[in-house]
Amino acid sequence: MAPAKVVLAGANGHGRHHLGILRDLTARGLVELAGVCDLQPVEVDFCTPLQSSDLGELIAKTGAEFTIICTPINTHADLAITALRGGSHVLLEKPPAPSIEEQRRIAEVVAETGLACQVGFQSLGSAAVPALRRLIAGGSLGRVRGIGGSGAWERPSTYFTRAPWSGRRRLNGVDVMDGALTNPFAHATATALALVDAPIAGIETELYHAHPIESDDTSCVRIRLEDGLVITIAVTLCAPESVPRHEPYLVVHGDRGRATLTYTNDRLKVEPVDGSVTTTVHGRTGLLENLVDHVRTGAELLAPLAATERFTQVVDAIRLSPEPVPIPERHQLVLRDADGEVAGRVLPGVVELTRRSADELALYSELDAPWTRVTLLVSGAEVAAYDWRPDLPATDSPRPYLHGVRTLGGVEVTQVRPDDHVHHLGAGVAISDLGGANFWGGRTYVRDQGPTWLDDHGTQRHLAFTRLDDGGFTELLEWAGPGGPLVREERTVAARPLGEARSEAWALDFAFTLTNLTGTPLTIESSATKGRTGAGYGGFFWRAPGTSVDRVTLPGDEQAVHGSRQPWVAMSGTTPDGRDWTLVFVQADGDPWFVRVADYPGVGQALAWDTPLTFEHTLSRRVVTVVADGRLTADEAGELASAVTF
């Protein structure tokens, strides 16, 4: 049989790996490299293929029966469709597409042309995969509860600058999705999914990056299947350099044993509960060779496009997830070259974390990885934490919030979900009625009826940190009510010392800008605007600890400061063990203050004190809170307030 004519699209980078395979298959007489499609001329040392930057033209001129596509991820769909419509079967590098819509575009043309499309998950060519499937299906491991995956490689900084699309989620407005889970460790997820057949019921993602890139370099994903089985994959490109390198693997957890597949070397280790251990190394079939065999003899494809759709569902979930969270440098070991330039980044302990994830089927945050917590530091001391992905009931109007805020002496001055108001969440932004949606939590006040449970609760969803360091962050959020998104928020939070002369206190600077997404004027209301006198709460709000005793407000009592428009108000309290604290709230926008001290301790803005507030485009506010040890007098609180600048 004559050698199969092949065209290679994308011969640089990983394309050189395909050139090596083509060299071997050419020597065996199985294929002929008829053409190379690339933007630059490519040297080929085993033949003289026709070269062009136009794939469709190249296929037409060479009559290529097969096309290998090894180009940037965002070009996969268009080039695969070009090849298929040109009459060529396709070997498509992984991941097949950056979104499920793009993959389905390819699938439609596969069905239309009747040609084959194989996806380049080399691990699926291993005989270890069907062997492990048989173990699972046959019950040798008992009831399987989950599959864990661990991958830890080191990659230099230059890895993320090797091409314009490297380390990018999108390029020129087009999805690229070049992240640790979707590209270098894509085989881990794809192979785990190939071991089981159930549809996907849900996907959780945690995406981080230590390198200054757009995409993720350290991430994990948990896939819940409809039959109850769980797949958890934890990976990093920030492992320490080591010999031998950390080979990625999958571990299948059954109640009668476990099996570990090191998919890069086809090694399968089976450990029944009786203590016996067997290790086998399986053979592997090349995916191009299998594709040719499929076309010529009807052999079954090892990685057909249709079989990878669940993998692309995972890619889609990652694409739609909040932007990866930057890991502050205090959690990193920064490697530098002889010139002092950053050569790489290491996350100490990350290899063990990926292993624990595979063993426990847990996400990084559940393993308490230090860089999964967003914390604020002042002079090296942790003074606050920020929960940007709260797990809360809908009736709490879920939203990110600061908690565990403390004085420099260690006195905690926030409270979350207290018994008296479970929807009070530390320090943050909450509005009782924004465009008809409840972003405060709890019951909604209805005129002439009173507090009423309504299905009107909104959610503040974290989108991205555009800045994150020890001193604070800038965050983008989306506020969505039952009818859809209402506003986009930019939130800037900073923790800073007040200076050596005021070493007993620090300042929390909290600013937010709401941008109207509705296209029409948007109205903020409060319970007060609907008839409940004095209940004008809505905006920045701080819930202080209800356990504190002997609480007071400054510069006057609760009645004097509630509803006032003075530049600052303060609240003091004493913990049950006798430790005093004071909070001084300072603003420059002139809103009335909402203050409670007798029923519960809380201070905030009243954006709609007694009349609704309407804005067309943006609404910005800023409050600085001085957090101090001790019980201050009005003069002392005023002095701290005067130290605040806007």
Side-chain angles (χ1 to χ4, degrees), residues 80-361:
I81 289 170
T82 295
L84 290 163
R85 289 199 167 136
S88 184
H89 303 278
V90 171
L91 174 59
L92 180 61
E93 253 306 332
K94 56 77 188 164
S99 69
I100 201 70
E101 289 80 9
E102 289 287 275
Q103 176 150 339
R104 287 174 180 168
R105 282 181 59 212
I106 304 170
E108 288 173 1
V109 181
V110 169
E112 171 192 316
T113 60
L115 298 174
C117 181
Q118 174 121 286
V119 180
F121 287 112
Q122 301 101 309
S123 58
L124 301 188
S126 173
V129 173
L132 185 48
R133 278 183 61 91
R134 289 192 294 271
L135 280 175
I136 295 171
S140 298
L141 301 175
R143 180 180 175 275
V144 173
R145 63 183 178 88
I147 301 171
S150 167
W153 286 338
E154 64 278 352
R155 289 291 182 267
S157 297
T158 53
Y159 176 83
F160 302 101
T161 58
R162 70 194 191 279
W165 51 269
S166 300
R168 301 291 298 268
R169 283 169 69 83
R170 56 194 65 85
L171 182 64
N172 299 325
V174 178
D175 292 321
V176 173
M177 301 308 298
D178 178 50
L181 281 166
T182 54
N183 197 358
F185 291 109
H187 295 88
T189 303
T191 307
L193 288 167
L195 296 174
V196 289
D197 297 323
I200 292 175
I203 301 171
E204 301 169 77
T205 63
E206 291 187 0
L207 311 176
Y208 306 91
H209 61 82
H211 291 83
I213 59 175
E214 181 181 77
S215 195
D216 57 293
D217 57 36
T218 301
S219 302
C220 54
V221 62
R222 180 156 55 207
I223 306 161
R224 298 187 183 277
L225 303 182
E226 289 185 0
D227 62 3
L229 189 141
V230 171
I231 297 172
T232 303
I233 309 292
V235 301
T236 184
L237 297 174
C238 300
E241 187 175 358
S242 61
V243 179
R245 75 171 189 168
H246 310 285
E247 294 294 343
Y249 65 88
L250 300 172
V251 56
V252 179
H253 298 275
D255 58 14
R256 292 173 54 191
R258 54 187 272 163
T260 302
L261 171 60
T262 308
Y263 61 79
T264 53
N265 58 24
D266 310 311
R267 185 179 298 272
L268 179 60
K269 180 180 179 182
V270 182
E271 302 171 273
V273 292
D274 63 11
S276 61
V277 178
T278 59
T279 301
T280 53
V281 178
H282 294 257
R284 177 179 292 203
T285 301
L287 296 182
L288 177 58
E289 188 173 353
N290 171 246
L291 177 60
V292 173
D293 198 22
H294 167 75
V295 173
R296 296 285 175 84
T297 70
E300 184 177 356
L301 281 179
L302 293 171
L305 181 69
T308 66
E309 185 165 312
R310 287 183 303 160
F311 170 81
T312 307
Q313 283 182 256
V314 177
V315 175
D316 226 30
I318 293 170
R319 180 177 68 89
L320 297 172
S321 291
E323 299 293 297
V325 177
I327 298 175
E329 282 202 356
R330 66 186 166 99
H331 298 301
Q332 306 178 29
L333 174 61
V334 179
L335 308 177
R336 297 185 182 274
D337 60 22
D339 297 322
E341 298 296 322
V342 175
R345 295 174 185 268
V346 171
L347 295 176
V350 73
V351 177
E352 181 59 26
L353 281 168
T354 67
R355 290 172 176 163
R356 285 183 58 200
S357 173
D359 284 342
E360 301 174 30
L361 302 176

Side-chain angles (χ1 to χ4, degrees), residues 549-568:
V549 296
D550 193 22
R551 302 186 294 261
V552 299
T553 57
L554 300 170
D557 60 17
E558 180 178 350
Q559 185 175 0
V561 297
H562 182 59
S564 69
R565 295 177 182 267
Q566 56 204 32
W568 66 270

